[in-house]
Amino acid sequence: MSEAEENDILELDSEAEEGDVEMSLMAEVVYSEELPTYKSVPKGQAAPKVERTEFNDNPDSLFFNDGKRRVDFVLVYEDESKMTSGKKASIYKRKLRRRECFEGNLMNMGVELEATQSVVDEKLFFVKVHMPFDLLCTYAEVMHIKLPIQPNDLASKSNFITKLLYPEQEVLLKKTKFFTAPFRKDQLQYFYIKDREQFFTPAMRSRMAYYILSRAPYDVNGNVRKFGISKLMDGGVYKAAYPLHDCRFNVKSKEPDCPNERFLLYNEWAHPKSFYKMQPLNLIRKYYGEKIGIYFAWLGFYTVMLTLAAVVGLGCFIYGFATRESSTWSKEVCDPLIGGNIIMCPQCDQDCPYWRLNVTCESSKRLCIFDNYGTLVFAVFMSVWVTLFLEFWKRYQAELEHEWDTVEYLQQEEQLRPEYEAKCVYERLNPVTQTPERVPYTACGKCMRVSCGISTVLFWVLLIIASVVGVIVYRLAMFITFSQKLRSDLKDLEPFKEYVTPQMATSISASIISLIIIMLLNHLYEKVAIWITDFELPRTKTEYENSLTLKMFLFQFVNYYSSCFYIAFFKGKVVGYPGKPVYWLGKFRNEECDPGGCLTELTTQLAIIMTGKAVWNNIQEVLLPWIKNLISRHCTQVGSEKVIPRWEQDYQLQPMGKLGLFYEYLEMVIQFGFVTLFVASFPLAPLLALFNNLCEIRIDAWKITTQYRRRVPEKAQDIGAWQPILQGVAILAVATNAAIIAFTSDMIPRLVYYWGFSVSPYSNSSMHTMEGFINSSLSVFNAADFTKKSRPNDEILRASNVSMCRYRDFRNPPGHWYEYDFSMQYWHVIAAKLAFMIVVEHIVYFTKFILSYMIPDVSEALKEQIKRQRYVTQVILHETNIRHFTELIKPVAEKIHDQVDDPELDIDFEDA
């Protein structure tokens, strides 16, 4: 490419005016290949005008005024000619010129348009888009859309889970199944066409209309062509672009040919009365496309699988609750003769008092509910459950791919993003086809973009970690405050005194603050992730979504889980001992765990974040679109005598957003992390997730059916990058749960004491017992060994008169040859914890491997169906090609035959 040509491509738009939000560089393009029907309006020639018609007072109509041409898409713009002056007038003229050029180019490409003025607002105009049959055939071939060639003679087979999740919904969808093949216009007569108007479904028509709209040019200047409805909407030329719903969600359409699929979806799926019904996935897929269909299929499958986990988790919780009073070590804490006589060392410097162990009686009982042997069984069960969930989902997803005809989608139908095409200014040799192709960046440029993206992601992750450190510092500072004042403030509130400990008050307040920070930072990280992904310029929409998914999940992973990881694996692990504590920043004394451990605090953190996040998200998903639509209807109220057309009713709904289902997936995957990563500390997590998901399915269904405009249907083969993310979380969950049981709970120290230190030579008892565990787990400290910085103040010393106190650790007592060093019991416990981690991880990982191997991703029955369909399709296409060749060769053969039979011709075949 010459320097002059490159300057032409990258030149700034000289007509740019103040207030035009479109970025010129982002809009310029040299097409790498022309659209099949592309015919630009020649420069200087007036663009054809769109026909304007009056609304025919039929609110349910999905057609042009002639009642024959179907509305495949709607564009909305505002006529500002009477409201502009000065600079605004020049901006309006520019928008008008671009709109007229865009619509003129659409009509030159064969698209039919019809404009109608708004009934509600006379400044608004609705441009209805219709794709004629011949144009649909052209773009069906371009987009490799699969269409029916003959009815499917295979009986559908399904396993138990498929029957449970995808029951027959005859009242919703009566559909003949077909063998399909990528459409070819020259073989139209061989496809299964009963009605030309019904051959392409409304979803297919909308997809093809959007494909043209996203690539049609609106400004052509030599080699520079600016194109795409997205750019026009960003620049304010159009206010909206969307396909139509087929009817109102709560009223059946009066049109005889209307399928009323939206009405059926609302009544059988989105209405609260249908909460117990299975989802009509075929109808969801037909109306909204495979991408939305696969999301609801995955969410339904996940919810059903959660039922088993919730039942087992509830059983584990009930077992812990029933046995909390019979726990020997809990009884010792509550016993006034044992726990009441154990004086604990202050947990902060100078201002914290001595305290008796039995003040943690209630917290120790609560800990027994979650820290018991049932929790170990449940953690192992959940490791197996998550493997079964992922493996059975792969099988179910394979069935959906086959049934919805998306098995080979990515290889055949994925189109380039218009934003990618708009930057294709460099040439390279395609390594596959060995032909020149245009790309948006050189190898060095791509490396630079990726490097900038990675460094930006790391910077923001470190920023999140910094916010977590800030919360930790808050915990350290507030614990001192609560330790000083909480007991004196509650001395008259005896019923609450046993429940509100300094540790509990610090934990709850810090959890609430963490939740607030998480919610606030989410909005910021979202913008950063989108900016980075836009800068990287992915090639296709699937690549764009996968790249954004990985970044956002990394942000959210650190944001949501960092505080839980801190409590589970760092808090109370490096605290020293009373005479030599460990300090943060040289000022704040590191936090200690309760005598019962940090498991209760981790459970509190999980419960607050999970519940708070679910409640906030559901309120947001329900209230925000409903309030916006309510305001929109209130601001555009018209007299009851006026009839509002279908396209204007849809315009009053909310747009779904460019990222669509991304946030729905993200919300569920974050929840999946809470359910699996920390389930050893909170067995009720699957039950909470189950209740949330039962609501989530209906809320999402209600939202997209009643509150949002119809989304452009999209094809999708699977759940994309979320699949490897789920697998990564499942692998990590085994390690985190084993570590929680080993290092956060007291299960291993209790087992070590029971089997090793409760009998001779470490004890006088001849039988294994848990009696004496509390005394064994607390070390002794001489109050005279406090340093000047950590020694309690004079007021506390006068009030307590304590010479010896206890603290949670396994250290040698004062006077020992190695006083305050780790004792032999400490090394036994550490060895047992490491052995437990290694053994449990290997057993669980081996079990997961065996299960993954035994459960194939595609069932044998489905493999046979796929082979049968491919065979039949190949036979049909082969016979079609033979018939086509026969028809072409028949005239030539007849002519040769006539010449051979002509007696006037003397042909010596032997000589020939």
Side-chain angles (χ1 to χ4, degrees):
M1 182 182 297
S2 68
E3 184 178 350
E5 290 174 334
E6 188 169 351
N7 290 337
D8 288 340
I9 294 170
L10 298 176
E11 66 178 352
L12 290 173
D13 191 346
S14 59
E15 299 178 286
E17 299 285 350
E18 182 181 356
D20 189 354
V21 300
E22 179 185 24
M23 296 176 62
S24 301
L25 288 176
M26 292 296 292
E28 294 165 358
V29 63
V30 175
Y31 273 98
S32 55
E33 57 178 322
E34 301 286 1
L35 292 174
T37 59
Y38 174 68
K39 295 177 182 178
S40 179
V41 177
K43 190 172 183 179
Q45 180 178 329
K49 300 292 183 181
V50 179
E51 178 187 1
R52 289 193 177 184
T53 60
E54 296 293 331
F55 173 49
N56 59 9
D57 292 332
N58 184 357
D60 296 327
S61 177
L62 303 174
F63 297 87
F64 281 18
N65 272 14
D66 58 15
K68 298 179 180 178
R69 291 175 292 176
R70 186 182 189 88
V71 178
D72 298 318
F73 226 86
V74 175
L75 308 177
V76 185
Y77 69 88
E78 187 175 14
D79 185 1
E80 301 174 349
S81 58
K82 298 179 182 179
M83 304 184 300
T84 55
S85 61
K87 288 186 177 181
K88 290 186 177 181
S90 62
I91 295 174
Y92 164 72
K93 289 179 181 178
R94 186 182 181 204
K95 291 180 179 179
L96 177 62
R97 183 173 66 254
R98 289 186 166 185
R99 184 167 60 247
E100 289 179 345
C101 179
F102 182 72
E103 293 172 354
N105 286 330
L106 285 175
M107 288 188 283
N108 280 342
M109 294 163 71
V111 179
E112 297 179 5
L113 305 177
E114 182 181 86
T116 302
Q117 190 174 23
S118 169
V119 174
V120 175
D121 186 352
E122 62 180 11
K123 298 187 296 295
L124 286 179
F125 284 85
F126 295 84
V127 180
K128 294 165 280 184
V129 178
H130 171 73
M131 299 273 289
F133 184 78
D134 188 61
L135 194 64
L136 290 170
C137 292
T138 299
Y139 282 93
E141 184 171 355
V142 170
M143 298 173 69
H144 303 282
I145 294 179
K146 291 184 176 182
L147 289 162
I149 51 178
Q150 86 169 30
N152 191 333
D153 59 355
L154 295 176
S156 60
K157 299 178 182 179
S158 58
N159 56 32
F160 170 75
I161 296 179
T162 305
K163 289 180 180 178
L164 183 63
L165 292 173
Y166 195 53
E168 292 295 331
Q169 298 282 346
E170 296 182 0
V171 70
L172 297 176
L173 188 62
K174 295 181 179 179
K175 179 184 175 183
T176 304
K177 294 184 179 180
F178 292 90
F179 291 118
T180 62
F183 183 78
R184 289 186 58 181
K185 194 174 180 180
D186 59 349
Q187 296 180 351
L188 177 64
Q189 66 272 27
Y190 303 115
F191 283 84
Y192 193 86
I193 304 177
K194 279 190 173 182
D195 184 354
R196 288 166 64 98
E197 296 302 320
Q198 301 295 327
F199 181 56
F200 296 102
T201 65
M204 292 178 185
R205 299 173 71 104
S206 298
R207 279 183 60 208
M208 288 185 275
Y210 185 73
Y211 181 86
I212 294 179
L213 291 172
S214 62
R215 287 162 175 78
Y218 59 82
D219 196 354
V220 181
N221 186 10
N223 286 335
V224 180
R225 294 173 186 165
K226 303 176 183 179
F227 71 96
I229 186 63
S230 298
K231 295 298 177 185
L232 290 175
M233 290 174 63
D234 292 341
V237 178
Y238 288 98
K239 296 179 71 66
Y242 51 89
L244 289 180
H245 282 296
D246 63 357
C247 66
R248 284 181 284 177
F249 69 86
N250 54 354
V251 179
K252 269 192 173 184
S253 172
K254 297 179 181 178
E255 290 288 316
D257 296 331
C258 180
N260 288 294
E261 290 173 349
R262 186 189 185 196
F263 175 79
L264 290 173
L265 283 171
Y266 175 71
N267 279 283
E268 300 296 328
W269 178 46
H271 197 283
K273 70 179 182 181
S274 303
F275 74 94
Y276 62 92
K277 295 183 179 179
M278 294 294 106
Q279 300 183 87
L281 294 179
N282 273 341
L283 186 56
I284 298 169
R285 172 249 181 169
K286 181 183 177 185
Y287 191 75
Y288 288 111
E290 286 78 4
K291 196 162 195 173
I292 290 181
I294 200 75
Y295 163 72
F296 281 103
W298 175 81
L299 182 56
F301 186 89
Y302 172 45
T303 303
V304 170
M305 289 293 289
L306 272 176
T307 305
L308 177 61
V311 170
V312 178
L314 181 61
C316 177
F317 175 80
I318 293 174
Y319 168 78
F321 186 81
T323 58
R324 74 190 189 285
E325 299 289 349
S326 60
S327 170
T328 303
W329 58 271
S330 179
K331 288 180 179 179
E332 290 186 349
V333 171
C334 298
D335 192 336
L337 299 179
I338 301 177
N341 288 329
I342 296 178
I343 299 175
M344 303 296 294
C345 297
Q347 293 185 303
C348 67
D349 296 336
Q350 297 182 351
D351 297 320
C352 289
Y354 293 96
W355 51 285
R356 296 187 182 276
L357 181 61
N358 65 346
V359 300
T360 61
C361 176
E362 293 300 325
S363 63
S364 68
K365 290 181 179 178
R366 289 195 300 271
L367 182 63
C368 292
I369 298 175
F370 302 103
D371 191 3
N372 54 66
Y373 299 122
T375 302
L376 172 61
V377 175
F378 184 58
V380 174
F381 165 80
M382 285 300 295
S383 299
V384 175
W385 173 88
V386 74
T387 303
L388 294 176
F389 164 66
L390 292 174
E391 294 303 318
F392 281 123
W393 164 248
K394 290 178 186 177
R395 289 170 65 92
Y396 184 47
Q397 183 175 255
E399 293 177 8
L400 291 177
E401 287 179 15
H402 171 66
E403 187 172 354
W404 292 354
D405 222 357
T406 61
V407 175
E408 299 174 354
Y409 161 66
L410 291 179
Q411 292 78 12
Q412 293 186 347
E413 298 183 36
E414 188 79 21
Q415 306 297 327
L416 298 180
R417 295 173 61 235
E419 293 83 358
Y420 179 90
E421 289 182 296
K423 289 288 188 176
C424 290
V425 294
Y426 300 101
E427 280 193 358
R428 73 160 188 173
L429 191 68
N430 189 300
V432 178
T433 62
Q434 293 297 307
T435 57
E437 68 173 358
R438 289 188 179 272
V439 293
Y441 33 62
T442 61
C444 181
K446 183 176 182 179
C447 181
M448 184 270 292
R449 289 172 182 266
V450 173
S451 300
C452 289
I454 293 174
S455 59
T456 307
V457 168
L458 292 177
F459 170 78
W460 284 98
V461 168
L462 292 175
L463 191 63
I464 300 172
I465 295 175
S467 69
V468 175
V469 173
V471 175
I472 294 173
V473 172
Y474 162 84
R475 300 169 69 101
L476 299 176
M478 292 308 297
F479 176 75
I480 297 174
T481 304
F482 285 135
S483 296
Q484 293 172 354
K485 299 181 179 180
L486 197 58
R487 289 300 175 190
S488 60
D489 292 343
L490 293 177
K491 62 183 179 180
D492 296 328
L493 300 176
E494 190 63 33
F496 299 97
K497 192 173 181 179
E498 300 299 326
Y499 296 93
V500 185
T501 63
Q503 292 91 344
M504 183 59 66
T506 304
S507 174
I508 293 176
S509 62
S511 298
I512 294 173
I513 291 174
S514 296
L515 177 63
I516 295 172
I517 292 175
I518 286 169
M519 295 303 179
L520 291 177
L521 293 180
N522 278 346
H523 297 286
L524 178 61
Y525 300 145
E526 171 192 327
K527 298 185 186 328
V528 172
I530 292 174
W531 179 84
I532 297 172
T533 309
D534 288 340
F535 179 73
E536 290 176 352
L537 206 62
R539 186 171 181 269
T540 63
K541 188 169 184 180
T542 298
E543 291 178 6
Y544 181 90
E545 291 180 351
N546 290 347
S547 178
L548 180 62
T549 295
L550 292 174
K551 294 180 183 63
M552 280 296 291
F553 180 75
L554 180 61
F555 286 150
Q556 301 281 19
F557 185 92
V558 179
N559 201 13
Y560 278 105
Y561 303 144
S562 53
S563 60
C564 295
F565 274 101
Y566 165 73
I567 295 171
F569 306 122
F570 297 99
K571 182 182 176 183
K573 301 301 184 289
V574 185
V575 295
Y577 59 93
K580 192 177 179 180
V582 176
Y583 292 93
W584 275 65
L585 308 175
K587 180 180 179 181
F588 297 103
R589 181 170 166 175
N590 206 355
E591 280 187 287
E592 298 181 25
C593 290
D594 236 292
C598 286
L599 198 66
T600 303
E601 188 172 341
L602 178 59
T603 303
T604 304
Q605 179 87 355
L606 286 170
I608 289 177
I609 293 181
M610 273 194 71
T611 306
K613 177 179 176 293
V615 171
W616 172 253
N617 286 339
N618 286 333
I619 290 175
Q620 204 173 25
E621 290 180 5
V622 172
L623 287 184
L624 282 183
W626 181 76
I627 291 174
K628 288 179 180 178
N629 287 333
L630 189 65
I631 294 173
S632 175
R633 286 192 295 269
H634 178 74
C635 295
T636 57
Q637 280 185 345
V638 295
S640 58
E641 72 280 356
K642 289 192 176 181
V643 178
I644 302 178
R646 169 81 269 133
W647 45 85
E648 195 155 356
Q649 294 176 41
D650 284 5
Y651 177 68
Q652 294 174 357
L653 300 176
Q654 295 301 306
M656 194 164 181
K658 294 181 180 179
L659 296 180
L661 295 170
F662 173 79
Y663 299 105
E664 309 298 337
Y665 273 118
L666 182 61
E667 179 186 351
M668 289 296 102
V669 172
I670 292 296
Q671 181 207 86
F672 178 80
F674 282 120
V675 169
T676 55
L677 291 174
F678 307 101
V679 74
S681 66
F682 191 36
L684 288 181
L687 185 63
L688 292 180
L690 176 63
F691 287 146
N692 176 74
N693 288 7
L694 290 174
C695 297
E696 183 74 23
I697 290 175
R698 303 306 162 179
I699 287 173
D700 287 346
W702 174 85
K703 181 175 63 177
I704 70 169
T705 305
T706 67
Q707 303 300 310
Y708 283 94
R709 297 171 192 159
R710 188 173 181 178
R711 181 178 170 83
V712 179
E714 295 181 63
K715 297 280 279 187
Q717 187 179 30
D718 48 37
I719 61 175
W722 299 112
Q723 185 79 26
I725 287 175
L726 292 174
Q727 292 172 339
V729 171
I731 293 172
L732 181 61
V734 177
T736 56
N737 283 298
I740 287 172
I741 293 173
F743 295 99
T744 308
S745 78
D746 261 354
M747 188 175 300
I748 302 302
R750 290 199 298 268
L751 288 174
V752 170
Y753 175 80
Y754 180 82
W755 292 107
F757 289 86
S758 65
V759 294
S760 179
Y762 300 100
S763 174
N764 295 325
S765 176
S766 60
M767 297 180 61
H768 295 286
T769 177
M770 283 302 298
E771 293 180 3
F773 169 72
I774 290 298
N775 185 63
S776 173
S777 66
L778 298 176
S779 298
V780 180
F781 181 76
N782 189 342
D785 294 334
F786 276 116
T787 62
K788 183 177 180 181
K789 183 177 181 180
S790 60
R791 179 179 290 112
N793 58 41
D794 294 337
E795 182 181 350
I796 294 175
L797 291 176
R798 286 194 300 269
S800 56
N801 192 25
V802 174
S803 60
M804 294 287 182
C805 63
R806 311 294 292 274
Y807 60 98
R808 177 184 169 83
D809 209 340
F810 297 102
R811 291 181 182 269
N812 294 321
H816 192 277
W817 184 261
Y818 298 103
E819 69 175 4
Y820 303 133
D821 283 349
F822 291 118
S823 65
M824 184 59 67
Q825 188 173 355
Y826 170 82
W827 298 111
H828 278 79
V829 170
I830 288 296
K833 288 180 176 182
L834 294 176
F836 174 85
M837 280 279 297
I838 294 171
V839 172
V840 169
E841 280 189 357
H842 279 70
I843 291 175
V844 173
Y845 281 135
F846 180 74
T847 304
K848 288 166 69 69
F849 172 77
I850 294 297
L851 289 174
S852 300
Y853 179 78
M854 293 176 59
I855 305 174
D857 294 348
V858 182
S859 65
E860 291 299 324
L862 182 58
K863 287 180 181 178
E864 293 176 359
Q865 290 188 35
I866 294 174
K867 290 178 182 178
R868 167 65 178 165
Q869 178 168 344
R870 287 178 177 172
Y871 170 76
V872 172
T873 302
Q874 289 175 356
V875 168
I876 294 172
L877 293 179
H878 179 67
E879 292 177 353
T880 297
N881 291 331
I882 292 177
R883 286 197 299 268
H884 184 61
F885 177 77
T886 303
E887 291 176 359
L888 291 176
I889 203 67
K890 187 175 181 180
V892 179
E894 290 178 350
K895 185 176 181 180
I896 294 175
H897 184 269
D898 293 340
Q899 290 177 349
V900 170
D901 292 342
D902 191 345
E904 297 181 1
L905 293 176
D906 185 13
I907 301 176
D908 189 349
F909 289 99
E910 293 183 359
D911 292 341

